[in-house]
Amino acid sequence: MDLRDSLGPVFDDARFARLFSTRGRPAEAPWRLALITLLQFAENLSDRDAADAVRARLDWKYLLALPLDDPGFDSTVLCEFRARLVDGHAEHELLDAVLTVAIARRLVRPLGRQRTDSTHVLAAVKMRSRIDAATEAFRQALNVLAVAAPAWLLGQTRSHWADRYSGHGDWGHAAKARAGRDGHVRELGEDGHHLLAAIWADEAMDWLRRLRPFMHSVNALVIGCRK
């Protein structure tokens, strides 16, 4: 709220006009998507978490000049916006606009060193979203097994699974530091390998390997964490 009151509009749609077609369905306002991207970076939010914040948080609605009953948008819109920035070589627009406003209001010193490379912002937001998606994939795999083979799953469950995978986004705000993020990814990959090893063990029920939605989720999780 202080950001809007003190700085006013930071971005305008004209800055991103060349990235969007003049035909087709209307897009979300680019200036809002740019501001949301910076908020994601500042608060360590995935695309899904940021879309939820746009719908639910009054401070975000105030900053983004949205009515209280605004329904928001699908989280994939943010991923598409980042892709437009990269494909259009417009990544620098994110921090350039902020720096311009800050200099005009004398919030930074002349001739000082200011970081204007926006790629680290886009990379951090993308990584956070990928980790969130991988966590959701493993949660979905556990949900499938909880219905199809609850007794077998109980025998394979590790002690931290209930706390880690019981609700959406539980780990995110506690893992802002790189060490916390890397530790989560490492454990997530280990959990995926543990579950796959149990399913492919000789004593496991053969039909478990034919649960295609489950196998797809776990394999995607392991590959994602390896990358």
Side-chain angles (χ1 to χ4, degrees), residues 14-52:
R15 182 181 292 270
F16 306 100
R18 66 183 179 84
L19 305 178
F20 292 83
S21 172
T22 57
R23 297 184 176 184
R25 63 183 178 84
E28 296 291 333
W31 74 266
R32 285 197 180 99
L33 299 179
L35 200 51
I36 291 169
T37 300
L38 294 183
L39 291 174
Q40 284 184 261
F41 175 74
E43 298 195 20
N44 190 37
L45 300 179
S46 66
D47 291 342
R48 179 174 172 179
D49 291 332
D52 288 344

Side-chain angles (χ1 to χ4, degrees), residues 27-222:
E28 296 291 333
W31 74 266
R32 285 197 180 99
L33 299 179
L35 200 51
I36 291 169
T37 300
L38 294 183
L39 291 174
Q40 284 184 261
F41 175 74
E43 298 195 20
N44 190 37
L45 300 179
S46 66
D47 291 342
R48 179 174 172 179
D49 291 332
D52 288 344
V54 172
R55 280 188 289 269
R57 287 179 53 175
L58 295 180
D59 53 344
W60 280 44
K61 287 183 181 293
Y62 182 78
L63 175 61
L64 299 171
L66 291 171
L68 294 180
D69 59 351
D70 185 86
F73 49 78
D74 189 83
S75 60
T76 56
V77 171
L78 295 170
C79 179
E80 293 171 359
F81 177 69
R82 290 197 302 274
R84 289 179 185 274
L85 289 177
V86 174
D87 294 342
H89 305 288
E91 307 96 321
H92 61 279
E93 297 289 359
L94 287 180
L95 294 188
D96 280 358
V98 175
L99 189 58
T100 299
V101 173
I103 291 175
R105 287 161 177 75
R106 299 182 180 180
L107 299 176
V108 294
R109 292 179 298 176
L111 304 180
R113 297 182 61 186
Q114 305 297 332
R115 184 168 190 172
T116 58
D117 178 13
S118 302
T119 55
H120 76 288
V121 173
L122 298 176
V125 172
K126 180 179 179 180
M127 176 61 71
R128 177 65 178 83
S129 295
R130 286 185 62 184
I131 296 173
D132 192 68
T135 304
E136 287 298 307
F138 191 71
R139 179 179 293 114
Q140 173 62 19
L142 293 179
N143 287 339
V144 171
L145 286 174
V147 174
W152 180 88
L153 177 61
L154 188 61
Q156 309 303 324
T157 299
R158 304 176 78 178
S159 59
H160 65 275
W161 284 8
D163 292 334
R164 175 65 60 85
Y165 305 112
S166 60
H168 165 65
D170 296 340
W171 72 277
H173 299 291
K176 286 190 175 182
R178 182 180 179 88
R181 183 196 70 188
D182 291 348
H184 174 83
V185 173
R186 183 170 55 253
E187 284 193 6
L188 190 56
E190 291 172 354
D191 291 340
H193 280 291
H194 171 82
L195 202 54
L196 280 177
I199 285 177
W200 286 99
D202 293 338
E203 62 273 16
M205 297 170 285
D206 182 67
W207 59 268
L208 284 175
R209 301 161 196 162
R210 296 193 294 271
L211 289 173
R212 300 184 68 178
F214 161 73
M215 292 300 295
H216 176 75
S217 295
V218 176
N219 278 306
L221 159 69
V222 173

